[in-house]
mmCIF file of all heavy atoms in Angstrom:
data_model
loop_
_atom_site.group_PDB
_atom_site.id
_atom_site.type_symbol
_atom_site.label_atom_id
_atom_site.label_comp_id
_atom_site.label_asym_id
_atom_site.label_seq_id
_atom_site.Cartn_x
_atom_site.Cartn_y
_atom_site.Cartn_z
ATOM 1 N N GLU N 1 -9.194 152.245 -43.164
ATOM 2 C CA GLU N 1 -8.806 150.898 -43.620
ATOM 3 C C GLU N 1 -9.352 150.622 -44.988
ATOM 4 O O GLU N 1 -10.145 151.386 -45.525
ATOM 5 C CB GLU N 1 -9.343 149.838 -42.649
ATOM 6 C CG GLU N 1 -8.688 149.963 -41.306
ATOM 7 C CD GLU N 1 -9.238 148.966 -40.335
ATOM 8 O OE1 GLU N 1 -10.031 148.105 -40.694
ATOM 9 O OE2 GLU N 1 -8.783 148.953 -39.127
ATOM 10 N N ASN N 2 -8.788 149.604 -45.619
ATOM 11 C CA ASN N 2 -9.250 149.114 -46.930
ATOM 12 C C ASN N 2 -8.816 150.070 -48.069
ATOM 13 O O ASN N 2 -9.535 150.376 -49.034
ATOM 14 C CB ASN N 2 -10.784 148.927 -47.001
ATOM 15 C CG ASN N 2 -11.237 147.871 -46.067
ATOM 16 O OD1 ASN N 2 -10.490 146.856 -45.884
ATOM 17 N ND2 ASN N 2 -12.344 148.059 -45.415
ATOM 18 N N SER N 3 -7.565 150.507 -47.975
ATOM 19 C CA SER N 3 -6.910 151.228 -49.052
ATOM 20 C C SER N 3 -6.660 150.319 -50.235
ATOM 21 O O SER N 3 -6.132 149.219 -50.055
ATOM 22 C CB SER N 3 -5.587 151.799 -48.637
ATOM 23 O OG SER N 3 -5.556 153.121 -48.404
ATOM 24 N N PRO N 4 -7.078 150.646 -51.453
ATOM 25 C CA PRO N 4 -6.796 149.703 -52.607
ATOM 26 C C PRO N 4 -5.327 149.721 -53.038
ATOM 27 O O PRO N 4 -4.693 150.758 -53.038
ATOM 28 C CB PRO N 4 -7.722 150.252 -53.700
ATOM 29 C CG PRO N 4 -7.803 151.727 -53.374
ATOM 30 C CD PRO N 4 -7.784 151.886 -51.891
ATOM 31 N N ILE N 5 -4.900 148.516 -53.323
ATOM 32 C CA ILE N 5 -3.535 148.331 -53.873
ATOM 33 C C ILE N 5 -3.766 147.922 -55.331
ATOM 34 O O ILE N 5 -4.504 146.940 -55.594
ATOM 35 C CB ILE N 5 -2.780 147.202 -53.188
ATOM 36 C CG1 ILE N 5 -2.542 147.747 -51.696
ATOM 37 C CG2 ILE N 5 -1.469 146.994 -53.865
ATOM 38 C CD1 ILE N 5 -1.900 146.660 -50.850
ATOM 39 N N SER N 6 -3.196 148.566 -56.300
ATOM 40 C CA SER N 6 -3.332 148.277 -57.701
ATOM 41 C C SER N 6 -2.022 147.841 -58.289
ATOM 42 O O SER N 6 -1.007 148.382 -57.947
ATOM 43 C CB SER N 6 -3.837 149.500 -58.484
ATOM 44 O OG SER N 6 -5.145 149.882 -58.068
ATOM 45 N N VAL N 7 -2.103 146.851 -59.197
ATOM 46 C CA VAL N 7 -0.942 146.329 -59.889
ATOM 47 C C VAL N 7 -1.150 146.603 -61.379
ATOM 48 O O VAL N 7 -2.129 146.122 -61.956
ATOM 49 C CB VAL N 7 -0.761 144.814 -59.591
ATOM 50 C CG1 VAL N 7 0.528 144.294 -60.332
ATOM 51 C CG2 VAL N 7 -0.657 144.558 -58.128
ATOM 52 N N LEU N 8 -0.194 147.285 -62.010
ATOM 53 C CA LEU N 8 -0.298 147.736 -63.377
ATOM 54 C C LEU N 8 0.709 147.034 -64.283
ATOM 55 O O LEU N 8 1.880 146.876 -63.925
ATOM 56 C CB LEU N 8 -0.220 149.184 -63.539
ATOM 57 C CG LEU N 8 -1.136 150.156 -62.786
ATOM 58 C CD1 LEU N 8 -0.726 151.534 -63.009
ATOM 59 C CD2 LEU N 8 -2.563 149.778 -63.123
ATOM 60 N N ASP N 9 0.289 146.652 -65.471
ATOM 61 C CA ASP N 9 1.273 146.113 -66.501
ATOM 62 C C ASP N 9 1.898 147.404 -67.059
ATOM 63 O O ASP N 9 1.263 148.339 -67.581
ATOM 64 C CB ASP N 9 0.483 145.417 -67.535
ATOM 65 C CG ASP N 9 1.402 144.910 -68.648
ATOM 66 O OD1 ASP N 9 2.010 143.809 -68.530
ATOM 67 O OD2 ASP N 9 1.547 145.697 -69.664
ATOM 68 N N PRO N 10 3.270 147.415 -67.140
ATOM 69 C CA PRO N 10 3.915 148.614 -67.625
ATOM 70 C C PRO N 10 3.743 148.874 -69.065
ATOM 71 O O PRO N 10 3.917 150.023 -69.563
ATOM 72 C CB PRO N 10 5.400 148.387 -67.252
ATOM 73 C CG PRO N 10 5.564 146.924 -67.241
ATOM 74 C CD PRO N 10 4.212 146.397 -66.740
ATOM 75 N N GLU N 11 3.464 147.876 -69.849
ATOM 76 C CA GLU N 11 3.299 148.033 -71.330
ATOM 77 C C GLU N 11 1.834 148.440 -71.692
ATOM 78 O O GLU N 11 1.688 149.473 -72.444
ATOM 79 C CB GLU N 11 3.667 146.763 -72.081
ATOM 80 C CG GLU N 11 5.095 146.259 -71.873
ATOM 81 C CD GLU N 11 6.114 147.263 -72.365
ATOM 82 O OE1 GLU N 11 5.952 147.952 -73.391
ATOM 83 O OE2 GLU N 11 7.133 147.450 -71.707
ATOM 84 N N SER N 12 0.859 147.766 -71.216
ATOM 85 C CA SER N 12 -0.537 148.061 -71.552
ATOM 86 C C SER N 12 -1.133 149.141 -70.670
ATOM 87 O O SER N 12 -2.135 149.780 -71.064
ATOM 88 C CB SER N 12 -1.381 146.816 -71.382
ATOM 89 O OG SER N 12 -1.591 146.387 -70.071
ATOM 90 N N MET N 13 -0.505 149.453 -69.575
ATOM 91 C CA MET N 13 -1.061 150.410 -68.545
ATOM 92 C C MET N 13 -2.412 150.043 -68.105
ATOM 93 O O MET N 13 -3.295 150.921 -67.936
ATOM 94 C CB MET N 13 -0.968 151.890 -69.106
ATOM 95 C CG MET N 13 0.402 152.392 -69.363
ATOM 96 S SD MET N 13 1.393 152.439 -67.834
ATOM 97 C CE MET N 13 0.527 153.826 -66.944
ATOM 98 N N GLN N 14 -2.706 148.724 -67.918
ATOM 99 C CA GLN N 14 -3.930 148.275 -67.384
ATOM 100 C C GLN N 14 -3.606 147.412 -66.145
ATOM 101 O O GLN N 14 -2.527 146.922 -65.996
ATOM 102 C CB GLN N 14 -4.626 147.398 -68.468
ATOM 103 C CG GLN N 14 -5.077 148.170 -69.686
ATOM 104 C CD GLN N 14 -6.092 149.244 -69.401
ATOM 105 O OE1 GLN N 14 -7.041 149.067 -68.708
ATOM 106 N NE2 GLN N 14 -5.808 150.460 -69.873
ATOM 107 N N GLU N 15 -4.631 147.299 -65.330
ATOM 108 C CA GLU N 15 -4.470 146.470 -64.145
ATOM 109 C C GLU N 15 -4.356 144.971 -64.601
ATOM 110 O O GLU N 15 -5.032 144.515 -65.445
ATOM 111 C CB GLU N 15 -5.628 146.611 -63.171
ATOM 112 C CG GLU N 15 -5.620 147.992 -62.539
ATOM 113 C CD GLU N 15 -6.676 148.090 -61.425
ATOM 114 O OE1 GLU N 15 -7.841 147.944 -61.690
ATOM 115 O OE2 GLU N 15 -6.228 148.430 -60.254
ATOM 116 N N VAL N 16 -3.405 144.304 -63.891
ATOM 117 C CA VAL N 16 -3.198 142.847 -64.145
ATOM 118 C C VAL N 16 -4.166 141.969 -63.286
ATOM 119 O O VAL N 16 -4.215 140.777 -63.557
ATOM 120 C CB VAL N 16 -1.757 142.409 -63.978
ATOM 121 C CG1 VAL N 16 -0.925 143.214 -64.998
ATOM 122 C CG2 VAL N 16 -1.243 142.647 -62.596
ATOM 123 N N CYS N 17 -4.784 142.578 -62.256
ATOM 124 C CA CYS N 17 -5.731 141.844 -61.432
ATOM 125 C C CYS N 17 -6.591 142.864 -60.760
ATOM 126 O O CYS N 17 -6.231 144.091 -60.785
ATOM 127 C CB CYS N 17 -5.006 141.032 -60.396
ATOM 128 S SG CYS N 17 -3.853 142.020 -59.311
ATOM 129 N N PRO N 18 -7.698 142.476 -60.141
ATOM 130 C CA PRO N 18 -8.539 143.481 -59.408
ATOM 131 C C PRO N 18 -7.791 144.049 -58.290
ATOM 132 O O PRO N 18 -6.893 143.433 -57.685
ATOM 133 C CB PRO N 18 -9.708 142.624 -58.904
ATOM 134 C CG PRO N 18 -9.716 141.379 -59.772
ATOM 135 C CD PRO N 18 -8.328 141.143 -60.167
ATOM 136 N N PRO N 19 -8.082 145.319 -57.893
ATOM 137 C CA PRO N 19 -7.421 145.918 -56.754
ATOM 138 C C PRO N 19 -7.586 145.099 -55.480
ATOM 139 O O PRO N 19 -8.648 144.404 -55.292
ATOM 140 C CB PRO N 19 -8.109 147.290 -56.542
ATOM 141 C CG PRO N 19 -8.666 147.525 -57.895
ATOM 142 C CD PRO N 19 -9.068 146.223 -58.491
ATOM 143 N N THR N 20 -6.629 145.003 -54.678
ATOM 144 C CA THR N 20 -6.633 144.290 -53.413
ATOM 145 C C THR N 20 -6.760 145.322 -52.242
ATOM 146 O O THR N 20 -6.083 146.336 -52.353
ATOM 147 C CB THR N 20 -5.294 143.487 -53.132
ATOM 148 O OG1 THR N 20 -5.149 142.545 -54.223
ATOM 149 C CG2 THR N 20 -5.236 142.777 -51.853
ATOM 150 N N LEU N 21 -7.601 145.089 -51.318
ATOM 151 C CA LEU N 21 -7.769 145.987 -50.202
ATOM 152 C C LEU N 21 -6.800 145.719 -49.091
ATOM 153 O O LEU N 21 -6.611 144.594 -48.593
ATOM 154 C CB LEU N 21 -9.205 145.948 -49.648
ATOM 155 C CG LEU N 21 -10.230 146.330 -50.671
ATOM 156 C CD1 LEU N 21 -11.678 146.236 -50.067
ATOM 157 C CD2 LEU N 21 -10.041 147.709 -51.223
ATOM 158 N N SER N 22 -6.088 146.763 -48.655
ATOM 159 C CA SER N 22 -5.149 146.701 -47.604
ATOM 160 C C SER N 22 -5.839 146.814 -46.237
ATOM 161 O O SER N 22 -6.761 147.641 -46.120
ATOM 162 C CB SER N 22 -4.125 147.817 -47.770
ATOM 163 O OG SER N 22 -3.290 147.897 -46.600
ATOM 164 N N PRO N 23 -5.431 146.080 -45.249
ATOM 165 C CA PRO N 23 -6.114 146.146 -43.951
ATOM 166 C C PRO N 23 -5.814 147.331 -43.090
ATOM 167 O O PRO N 23 -6.343 147.413 -41.990
ATOM 168 C CB PRO N 23 -5.726 144.804 -43.299
ATOM 169 C CG PRO N 23 -4.398 144.582 -43.823
ATOM 170 C CD PRO N 23 -4.400 145.073 -45.285
ATOM 171 N N GLU N 24 -4.907 148.226 -43.510
ATOM 172 C CA GLU N 24 -4.546 149.365 -42.666
ATOM 173 C C GLU N 24 -4.501 150.610 -43.427
ATOM 174 O O GLU N 24 -4.450 150.677 -44.632
ATOM 175 C CB GLU N 24 -3.176 149.054 -42.044
ATOM 176 C CG GLU N 24 -1.969 149.165 -42.966
ATOM 177 C CD GLU N 24 -1.602 147.831 -43.614
ATOM 178 O OE1 GLU N 24 -1.931 146.819 -43.106
ATOM 179 O OE2 GLU N 24 -0.950 147.890 -44.658
ATOM 180 N N PRO N 25 -4.573 151.782 -42.738
ATOM 181 C CA PRO N 25 -4.394 153.113 -43.337
ATOM 182 C C PRO N 25 -3.041 153.180 -44.000
ATOM 183 O O PRO N 25 -2.118 152.377 -43.785
ATOM 184 C CB PRO N 25 -4.577 154.087 -42.214
ATOM 185 C CG PRO N 25 -5.243 153.354 -41.145
ATOM 186 C CD PRO N 25 -4.823 151.915 -41.331
ATOM 187 N N SER N 26 -2.869 154.191 -44.860
ATOM 188 C CA SER N 26 -1.582 154.230 -45.649
ATOM 189 C C SER N 26 -1.209 155.703 -45.935
ATOM 190 O O SER N 26 -2.119 156.552 -46.155
ATOM 191 C CB SER N 26 -1.792 153.496 -46.947
ATOM 192 O OG SER N 26 -0.702 153.784 -47.810
ATOM 193 N N ILE N 27 0.078 155.950 -46.003
ATOM 194 C CA ILE N 27 0.584 157.190 -46.529
ATOM 195 C C ILE N 27 1.043 156.950 -47.928
ATOM 196 O O ILE N 27 1.656 157.841 -48.607
ATOM 197 C CB ILE N 27 1.675 157.915 -45.714
ATOM 198 C CG1 ILE N 27 2.882 156.973 -45.599
ATOM 199 C CG2 ILE N 27 1.149 158.288 -44.353
ATOM 200 C CD1 ILE N 27 4.090 157.669 -45.089
ATOM 201 N N SER N 28 0.824 155.824 -48.521
ATOM 202 C CA SER N 28 1.013 155.485 -49.909
ATOM 203 C C SER N 28 2.388 155.118 -50.268
ATOM 204 O O SER N 28 2.742 155.090 -51.434
ATOM 205 C CB SER N 28 0.465 156.547 -50.811
ATOM 206 O OG SER N 28 0.465 156.172 -52.150
ATOM 207 N N ARG N 29 3.351 154.994 -49.392
ATOM 208 C CA ARG N 29 4.706 154.526 -49.725
ATOM 209 C C ARG N 29 4.793 153.037 -49.615
ATOM 210 O O ARG N 29 4.364 152.432 -48.698
ATOM 211 C CB ARG N 29 5.787 155.174 -48.818
ATOM 212 C CG ARG N 29 5.791 156.707 -48.947
ATOM 213 C CD ARG N 29 6.270 157.138 -50.303
ATOM 214 N NE ARG N 29 6.363 158.545 -50.445
ATOM 215 C CZ ARG N 29 6.275 159.144 -51.571
ATOM 216 N NH1 ARG N 29 6.087 158.543 -52.675
ATOM 217 N NH2 ARG N 29 6.404 160.480 -51.640
ATOM 218 N N LEU N 30 5.374 152.416 -50.650
ATOM 219 C CA LEU N 30 5.500 151.023 -50.755
ATOM 220 C C LEU N 30 6.911 150.571 -50.994
ATOM 221 O O LEU N 30 7.707 151.364 -51.502
ATOM 222 C CB LEU N 30 4.739 150.466 -51.969
ATOM 223 C CG LEU N 30 3.183 150.618 -51.943
ATOM 224 C CD1 LEU N 30 2.651 150.175 -53.265
ATOM 225 C CD2 LEU N 30 2.616 149.801 -50.797
ATOM 226 N N SER N 31 7.343 149.409 -50.591
ATOM 227 C CA SER N 31 8.600 148.848 -50.882
ATOM 228 C C SER N 31 8.344 147.385 -51.336
ATOM 229 O O SER N 31 7.347 146.736 -51.061
ATOM 230 C CB SER N 31 9.592 148.921 -49.744
ATOM 231 O OG SER N 31 9.112 148.209 -48.681
#
C-alpha cells in the first residue's frame, strides 16, 4: 500500500503538487 501518485507539468517537467499516496497496491496502469 501507499504507492505514490505524481502529477507533472508537461512544460517544466516538475511536480505540480506533492505526491499523493494511493491506498492500494498497483501495477502502475492509470486511466
Side-chain angles (χ1 to χ4, degrees):
E1 294 179 4
N2 298 322
S3 252
I5 298 172
S6 296
V7 182
L8 304 177
D9 177 89
E11 299 299 323
S12 69
M13 293 299 291
Q14 296 297 311
E15 288 187 305
V16 298
C17 59
T20 300
L21 297 179
S22 171
E24 71 267 341
S26 169
I27 61 165
S28 190
R29 297 293 182 204
L30 298 172
S31 62

